[in-house]
């Protein structure tokens, strides 16, 4: 009799399980941001009737990229800055700061950059260790890697990494929400992404949007394996997950959406000695449901993070350390996806000429556009400060127009300096 | 609100689990099985100690520190542990432990990045995977281990109502502690069998 009741109960569980699966949202294509169809010839010929309203900007009229510092909170160590555009056109930055990376006093700071006055607000604490552990109802030892996203309902979502035990390899991702553009935040919630005590999932790069309004978050493991994973999220819940790479050689995936079903992911390489120190690449043709490793992007990578951005013109930007060892040189590359060649358009930092002991670290770049045509870059400056650089749309448009065309680019190797 | 309730229930679960493990250790030390009422009283006292913040220099309840390290245990582990309060004399069939171990040995390397193939992704909504789990539960029932049917049924229901933070069925069925327990139990069973064999061999050895 007991067995019959148990089997009836199992039947009930089966029905609930099937209802749950049926109610699960289907995988959706990527949301494609509107791309202004601007040919480089058109950029240079604003007098043509019907041409887009983009003025030909002469070299002298274009302001050089403008750099400043994200406000200092007086702590010894800062790292992992990220940015998001606010509804009023301003830009909010997030970073973590404390006495040293991984210390218990590390907090996640935020400040707003006023794009009209070019001034930063005073930094405020978004999350500290105690608030995180009280909200998550579990012990938290340290915080890191804040990454903001905009939800389809207009709210801000901030992902960040928490560690309860061990080093960064023991990380899990948590998230908070804001209804008021980051002034106040909800209680933190935990993303469950790994079957082994939810250990070792981190986030570094921005999320991409699906056409159903949900987010796809590129994440990575760096414990037993070092590989990328693509999380499909419904707010604070992981509703699906797909592997972007495997093994121990590629972390911190950065996703460029090319079309509704097509995207390319660039990784930070973590290969062992003797292997190519270049950017590993994966590709999907079904909106992230499956990924295939393809040949490397032939740009040097010294095991350091890569940042990227797609502009409305369709141009792709990459900020990275294009050297095989060290992080003392940081550059900005641009590519026209139709041509597929990366061109160096700006050297942001370069200590190549200095002796080793005097070289500084310029790392963890993060790119974001407030208007779709401009670019804000934030990066760690020697682990002591966060540098912010603004590239105007005019400057980027000019750089795009100077990219080699298909016929000439075919013969050019990757990452050549633009004229 | 839902998140807050979920965290409270998760802490309560962890408090009960920690208390039951302590009671099991106490029984081992005392080398006797406590009467049911003693176990319930001990559970009430210990669970309260784990659940409520004790103050002093502790920022959180004791259960939150354990949860920080272990995460939420699977429903299967939790219920197997909790059932020892009532049926401490009835052990889990050895075949079940063997199946758990085999699944864990195949599952964890793949789920932790050994290849591009990730069985953990099945847990989000694969009907085939759900059917496989139901089949295993059905086999438990046919093998006259009804407790297994109840436990798997409850795990599936907990997953479908999103009882824990995870939306993945694997997290309701399996965790590394369950795999470790299955391994240790099997190892202990093999050792006991060898010991028994050696003893019987000694008894019947011709003099």
């Amino acid at each position: 009799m007991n067995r019959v009741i148990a089997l009836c109960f199992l039947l009930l569980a089966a029905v609930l399980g099937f209802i749950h699966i049926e109610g699960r949202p289907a995988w959706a294509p990527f949301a494609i941001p509107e791309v202004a169809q601007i040919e480089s010839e058109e950029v240079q010929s604003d007098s043509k009737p019907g041409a887009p309203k983009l003025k030909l900007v002469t070299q002298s009229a274009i302001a050089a990229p403008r750099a400043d510092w994200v406000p200092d909170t007086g702590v010894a160590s800062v790292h992992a800055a990220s940015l998001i555009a606010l509804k009023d056109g301003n830009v909010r930055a997030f970073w973590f700061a404390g006495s040293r990376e991984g210390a218990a006093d590390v907090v996640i700071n935020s400040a707003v950059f006023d794009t009209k006055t070019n001034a930063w607000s005073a930094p405020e604490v978004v999350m500290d260790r105690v608030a995180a552990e009280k909200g998550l109802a579990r012990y938290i030892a340290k915080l890191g890697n804040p990454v903001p996203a905009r939800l389809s309902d207009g709210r801000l979502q901030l992902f960040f990494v928490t560690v309860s035990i061990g080093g960064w390899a023991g990380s899990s991702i948590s998230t908070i929400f804001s209804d008021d553009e980051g002034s106040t935040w909800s209680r933190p919630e935990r993303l469950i992404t790994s079957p082994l005590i939810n250990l070792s999932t981190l986030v570094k790069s921005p999320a991409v949007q699906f056409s159903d309004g949900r987010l796809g978050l590129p994440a990575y493991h760096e414990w037993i394996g070092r590989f990328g994973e693509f999380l499909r999220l419904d707010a604070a819940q992981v509703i699906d997950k797909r592997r972007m790479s495997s093994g121990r050689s590629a972390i911190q995936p950065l996703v460029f959406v090319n079309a509704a079903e097509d995207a390319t992911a660039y990784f930070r390489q973590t290969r062992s000695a003797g292997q190519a120190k270049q950017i590993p690449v994966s590709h999907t043709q079904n909106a992230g449901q499956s990924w295939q490793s393809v040949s490397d992007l032939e740009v040097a990578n010294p095991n350091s993070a890569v940042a990227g951005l797609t502009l409305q013109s369709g141009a792709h930007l990459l900020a990275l350390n294009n050297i095989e060892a060290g992080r003392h040189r940081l550059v900005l590359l641009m590519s026209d996806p139709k041509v597929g060649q990366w061109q160096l358009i700006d050297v942001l930092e370069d200590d190549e000429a200095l002796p080793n002991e005097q070289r500084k670290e310029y790392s963890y770049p993060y790119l974001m556009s407030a208007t779709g045509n401009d670019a804000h870059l934030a990066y760690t400056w020697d682990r002591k400060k966060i540098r912010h650089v603004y590239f105007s749309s005019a400057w980027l448009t000019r750089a795009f127009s100077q990219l080699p065309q298909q016929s000439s680019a075919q013969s050019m190797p990757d990452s050549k300096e633009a004229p | 609100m839902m998140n807050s309730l979920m965290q409270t229930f998760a802490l309560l679960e962890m408090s009960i689990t920690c208390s039951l493990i302590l009671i099991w250790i106490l029984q081992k030390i005392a080398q006797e099985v406590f009467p049911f009422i003693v176990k319930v009283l001990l559970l009430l006292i210990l669970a309260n100690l784990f659940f409520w913040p004790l103050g002093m220099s502790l920022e959180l309840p004791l259960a939150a520190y354990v949860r920080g390290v272990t995460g939420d245990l699977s429903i299967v582990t939790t219920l197997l542990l909790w059932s020892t309060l009532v049926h401490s004399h009835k052990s889990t069939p050895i075949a079940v432990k063997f199946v758990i171990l085999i699944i864990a040995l195949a599952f964890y390397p793949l789920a932790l990045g050994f290849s591009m193939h990730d069985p953990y992704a099945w847990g989000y909504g694969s009907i085939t995977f759900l059917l496989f789990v139901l089949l295993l539960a059905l086999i438990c029932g046919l093998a006259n281990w009804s407790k297994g049917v109840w436990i798997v049924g409850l795990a599936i229901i907990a997953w479908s109502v999103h009882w824990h933070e995870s939306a993945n069925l694997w997290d309701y069925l399996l965790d590394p502690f369950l795999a470790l327990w299955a391994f240790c139990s099997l190892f202990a069973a093999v050792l006991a069998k060898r010991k028994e064999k050696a003893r019987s061999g000694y008894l019947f050895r011709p003099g």
Side-chain angles (χ1 to χ4, degrees):
Chain A
M1 187 60 191
N2 184 21
R3 185 160 51 169
V4 174
I5 298 169
L7 289 173
C8 289
F9 182 71
L10 186 66
L11 187 66
L12 173 72
V15 170
L16 286 174
F18 283 117
I19 290 171
H20 179 68
I21 289 177
E22 282 302 308
R24 197 170 147 265
W27 198 281
F30 293 122
I32 304 295
E34 280 179 30
V35 174
Q37 296 298 317
I38 304 163
E39 299 298 330
S40 54
E41 293 85 7
E42 288 170 339
V43 172
Q44 294 173 34
S45 57
D46 61 325
S47 56
K48 280 184 187 174
K53 288 183 180 176
L54 279 168
K55 291 176 183 170
L56 169 66
V57 191
T58 59
Q59 190 128 358
S60 58
I62 297 173
R66 206 186 55 77
D68 57 19
W69 302 99
V70 172
D72 200 345
T73 53
V75 296
S77 172
V78 296
H79 196 35
S82 56
L83 304 164
I84 193 158
L86 301 180
K87 288 173 184 168
D88 60 5
N90 293 333
V91 172
R92 184 175 277 280
F94 301 89
W95 68 97
F96 73 77
S99 55
R100 61 176 169 78
E101 183 178 329
D105 64 1
V106 165
V107 298
I108 292 172
N109 279 132
S110 180
V112 175
F113 179 72
D114 189 322
T115 49
K116 293 176 194 79
T117 61
N118 292 332
W120 285 94
S121 69
E124 56 207 39
V125 175
V126 169
M127 183 61 59
D128 61 24
R129 190 184 63 81
V130 175
E133 65 181 10
K134 288 194 170 153
L136 294 165
R138 48 165 69 80
Y139 171 68
I140 301 293
K142 58 186 176 186
L143 305 174
N145 289 19
V147 174
R150 173 76 64 185
L151 289 163
S152 57
D153 61 10
R155 287 182 299 160
L156 281 188
Q157 182 169 13
L158 184 72
F159 302 99
F160 60 98
V161 157
T162 64
V163 178
S164 292
I165 189 164
W168 289 121
S171 299
S172 303
I173 304 172
S174 294
T175 188
I176 46 178
F177 298 89
S178 174
D179 295 322
D180 52 13
E181 296 294 272
S183 299
T184 58
W185 294 89
S186 67
R187 180 184 171 135
E189 294 176 58
R190 171 59 54 102
L191 268 59
I192 306 294
T193 53
S194 165
L196 197 83
I197 330 174
N198 198 33
L199 282 183
S200 194
T201 315
L202 298 92
V203 62
K204 157 69 182 82
S205 304
V208 297
Q209 199 134 31
F210 289 105
S211 59
D212 63 1
R214 293 183 173 83
L215 292 179
L217 183 68
Y220 61 100
H221 283 241
E222 60 166 88
W223 181 35
I224 296 169
R226 288 182 184 149
F227 55 91
E229 290 201 314
F230 191 58
L231 312 178
R232 184 161 146 76
L233 303 178
D234 190 4
Q237 202 180 337
V238 181
I239 56 170
D240 214 329
K241 183 177 87 142
R242 300 302 158 101
R243 192 151 292 165
M244 302 173 82
S245 64
S246 64
R248 290 182 53 80
S249 61
I251 60 170
Q252 296 178 347
L254 163 74
V255 175
F256 279 108
V257 172
N258 309 316
E261 299 283 338
D262 189 295
T264 307
Y266 295 149
F267 296 83
R268 163 182 170 177
Q269 67 81 18
T270 57
R271 292 167 174 158
S272 48
Q275 291 185 292
K277 304 295 180 199
Q278 295 176 335
I279 296 176
V281 183
S282 284
H283 188 234
T284 177
Q285 289 181 304
N286 51 13
Q289 291 186 72
S290 64
W291 295 80
Q292 291 81 38
S293 291
V294 294
S295 37
D296 287 354
L297 176 66
E298 290 179 7
V299 174
N301 181 259
N303 190 348
S304 71
V306 176
L309 174 66
T310 303
L311 299 174
Q312 274 187 3
S313 63
H316 287 177
L317 291 176
L318 271 185
L320 48 84
N321 308 108
N322 66 338
I323 42 180
E324 288 200 356
R327 295 176 176 181
H328 53 270
R329 178 181 156 90
L330 189 74
V331 299
L332 189 69
L333 308 183
M334 183 184 264
S335 163
D336 180 349
K338 291 174 197 153
V339 179
Q341 297 284 314
W342 288 95
Q343 302 292 320
L344 194 148
I345 59 167
D346 198 11
V347 177
L348 299 150
E349 304 279 0
D350 191 3
D351 287 354
E352 196 78 42
L354 297 175
N356 267 343
E357 63 276 8
Q358 288 178 27
R359 288 175 175 171
K360 294 182 177 65
E361 177 190 317
Y362 311 109
S363 59
Y364 262 58
Y366 195 99
L367 277 165
M368 186 278 305
S369 180
T371 64
N373 297 311
D374 61 357
H376 291 262
L377 169 70
Y379 59 91
T380 302
W381 194 91
D382 204 27
R383 300 265 175 163
K384 294 184 180 77
K385 294 177 178 183
I386 302 293
R387 190 80 161 152
H388 166 243
V389 186
Y390 175 67
F391 302 91
S392 67
S393 58
W395 190 88
L396 290 166
T397 304
R398 189 187 69 196
F400 189 55
S401 69
Q402 289 175 344
L403 292 180
Q405 299 305 296
Q406 190 128 26
S407 55
S408 56
Q410 277 171 347
S411 60
M412 291 176 71
D414 282 313
S415 190
K416 286 283 179 190
E417 195 148 358
Chain B
M1 181 62 185
M2 285 306 287
N3 179 35
S4 178
L5 271 178
M6 185 190 279
Q7 302 300 341
T8 306
F9 283 126
L11 270 188
L12 194 60
E13 257 182 60
M14 185 54 77
S15 303
I16 295 170
T17 302
C18 291
S19 308
L20 285 171
I21 291 170
L22 276 183
I23 292 169
W24 179 80
I25 292 170
L26 286 174
Q27 287 185 134
K28 287 283 172 196
I29 292 169
Q31 292 186 332
E32 63 170 301
V33 178
F34 298 151
F36 180 72
I37 188 70
V38 173
K39 284 200 269 190
V40 170
L41 279 172
L42 272 173
L43 175 66
L44 279 173
I45 295 163
L46 290 171
N48 274 288
L49 281 174
F50 272 100
F51 183 75
W52 298 107
L54 297 178
M56 298 176 284
S57 61
L58 299 173
E59 293 153 350
L60 300 165
L62 286 174
Y65 288 93
V66 181
R67 192 173 174 231
V69 178
T70 64
D72 291 329
L73 299 181
S74 69
I75 295 293
V76 172
T77 304
T78 305
L79 293 180
L80 275 175
L81 250 165
W82 288 13
S83 66
T84 59
L85 183 73
V86 191
H87 298 294
S88 55
H89 58 286
K90 279 190 184 173
S91 68
T92 309
I94 203 152
V96 172
K97 293 173 188 170
F98 186 72
V99 169
I100 290 171
L101 186 62
I102 294 295
I103 290 173
L105 286 174
F107 171 71
Y108 281 112
L110 290 170
L112 295 173
F114 186 71
S115 79
M116 286 295 276
H117 192 68
D118 182 13
Y120 185 63
W122 301 341
Y124 290 109
S126 162
I127 286 184
T128 314
F129 179 57
L130 178 61
L131 284 171
F132 175 74
V133 173
L134 289 168
L135 182 69
L136 283 183
L138 194 64
I139 292 169
C140 287
L142 295 174
N144 214 16
W145 192 54
S146 298
K147 188 165 98 176
V149 183
W150 285 102
I151 286 174
V152 173
L154 279 167
I156 293 171
I157 291 172
W159 166 67
S160 47
V161 300
H162 196 205
W163 181 254
H164 283 168
E165 289 164 330
S166 176
N168 193 305
L169 181 55
W170 278 109
D171 292 321
Y172 292 80
L173 297 168
L174 184 67
D175 59 51
F177 305 103
L178 186 68
L180 195 67
W181 165 81
F183 173 76
C184 293
S185 297
L186 283 172
F187 190 68
V190 170
L191 280 185
K193 200 107 182 163
R194 276 189 165 189
K195 215 172 176 180
E196 195 181 309
K197 208 173 175 182
R199 198 175 293 153
S200 62
Y202 173 78
L203 281 175
F204 294 104
R205 196 179 298 157

